[in-house]
Amino acid sequence: MSDEEKDARVAPIVGSMHMGSSGRRNVNLQVKQPEQRRHRTSNVLRDRQAKSEKAKAESAAGESAEGPPRKRVLEDVINLEVLMQLKTAFMRADQDGGGDLSIDEFVRAFRGILGADLGEEGLRQMFMKIDANADGTVDWDEFSSFMLLQNQGKQSMLENETHAEYTEVADPGFNLEHARYEHRDMIDHILYLPQGDKWATTSRDGTIRFWSGKELTHMRTLRCGKAWVTDLGLLSRQNKLVASTFNRNIRIYDTNSLDVVGKLSELEHTVLSLDCWTHTKSEITTDRVATGDNGGNVQLYQMVERDDDEKVQSGDHWRLDRQWKVQLHSDWVSKVRYMSDINCLCSASLDRTLCLYDVERRGQPRRLLGHTKG
């Protein structure tokens, strides 16, 4: 059967999408005739061939020409060479030798390195994200940790997109009015809250936002300061949310009032991942929180209600008592999860290992090796 006969028997349906006056997406379907399809196909093939030849020519010219290397931007892989470049610029800008930079010093230091990608306003916004304790300065540890975390998230997104295909689908419920409730930065975590049938999302914009379970309409925004919310967990027995932030804090929120009812501040390391569960042993039930941080540590906490005197003194109703701390990894712990079937914590790290650690007996961890990436 010839191409003309095939086209005569099959007329493809092609959809075009546009935004209506009401803000909703409309889908128009129209039937393309065989003759139109042949012309369009030939045009596409010619365009692809032209682009391919142009890319080859540019690649050959780039290899033969000698010029200055491309300026690194935020999307580049953060390796040792880039870190040394950033640290040199940081130390050069630290004129008083105090070990930290003000916002103006920060902008001057990195305008030539990151400014092409962000601009001065973007650099100032970055400074405010890193300066989680709002003291007006940023030290090298804060800056390098932020850059590595930012790069880790972007690399993960790029790798996932490489193996995925996306098809745009018309959403009859889309409304432009909802856009003003969106996060201002990447969403890192989504958590379902059965009580009240709602979803919670966390972002690097320092907020936790709540959405209705059915309509997915915005319900409320909980601001955690300027610090990046690194993870979020639920203790359903007590109706408590546990959130970790980039400025080395852990906060406990009541799921009904969303008030802070407990906290841990000024931790030694930044918690990157946490998990929550309820544990029962010998008819005693406890609420537990496990954390993994950028020091390679895994820690276990137990949530305990304070007595009346403590509540008056601290202002908090709950506290997290640390049960133990162990360094299982030589690099950042990117994920920690409790496995109830074997009563173990499983931790994953950028050191390219997985560790299984018995919560009760502890002892030596079981390590799973052979991973090519962290």
Side-chain angles (χ1 to χ4, degrees), residues 137-303:
T137 61
V138 165
D139 61 33
W140 169 248
D141 287 340
E142 291 175 325
F143 176 63
S144 60
S145 295
F146 178 87
M147 292 295 292
L148 288 168
L149 280 170
Q150 185 91 343
N151 179 76
Q152 179 189 356
K154 289 189 176 182
Q155 287 299 113
S156 177
M157 283 183 60
L158 290 174
E159 290 173 3
N160 290 337
E161 289 176 357
T162 302
H163 304 287
E165 294 182 0
Y166 301 94
T167 303
E168 186 172 8
V169 179
D171 180 7
F174 179 81
N175 193 319
L176 291 177
E177 180 67 16
H178 296 166
R180 65 191 184 98
Y181 298 117
E182 294 175 355
H183 286 284
R184 299 295 182 262
D185 208 325
M186 179 189 300
I187 294 176
D188 287 321
H189 301 282
I190 301 176
L191 181 66
Y192 179 65
L193 309 179
Q195 186 186 32
D197 184 27
K198 53 190 174 184
W199 295 88
T201 56
T202 70
S203 171
R204 304 180 183 189
D205 62 7
T207 66
I208 304 172
R209 299 181 187 239
F210 298 88
W211 316 84
S212 63
K214 293 182 180 179
E215 296 84 6
L216 294 181
T217 54
H218 178 263
M219 299 175 65
R220 186 170 175 181
T221 296
L222 180 62
R223 302 193 179 278
C224 305
K226 299 177 182 178
W228 173 355
V229 182
T230 57
D231 209 347
L232 183 69
L234 173 65
L235 289 168
S236 55
R237 189 175 76 100
Q238 301 290 352
N239 294 320
K240 299 294 183 289
L241 282 173
V242 182
S244 56
T245 52
F246 184 76
N247 59 345
R248 305 193 300 274
N249 288 336
I250 298 177
R251 287 188 174 90
I252 305 172
Y253 297 92
D254 183 87
T255 57
N256 296 315
S257 65
L258 297 184
D259 292 333
V260 177
V261 294
K263 57 182 176 292
L264 281 178
S265 302
E266 299 181 358
L267 298 171
E268 184 179 359
H269 294 94
T270 297
V271 172
L272 304 178
S273 178
L274 60 82
D275 197 15
C276 304
W277 71 96
T278 298
H279 178 73
T280 301
K281 182 179 180 180
S282 302
E283 299 183 353
I284 299 176
T285 302
T286 56
D287 297 293
R288 293 181 167 183
V289 178
T291 65
D293 60 41
N294 61 349
N297 304 297
V298 173
Q299 303 185 57
L300 179 66
Y301 295 90
Q302 183 170 308
M303 191 176 75

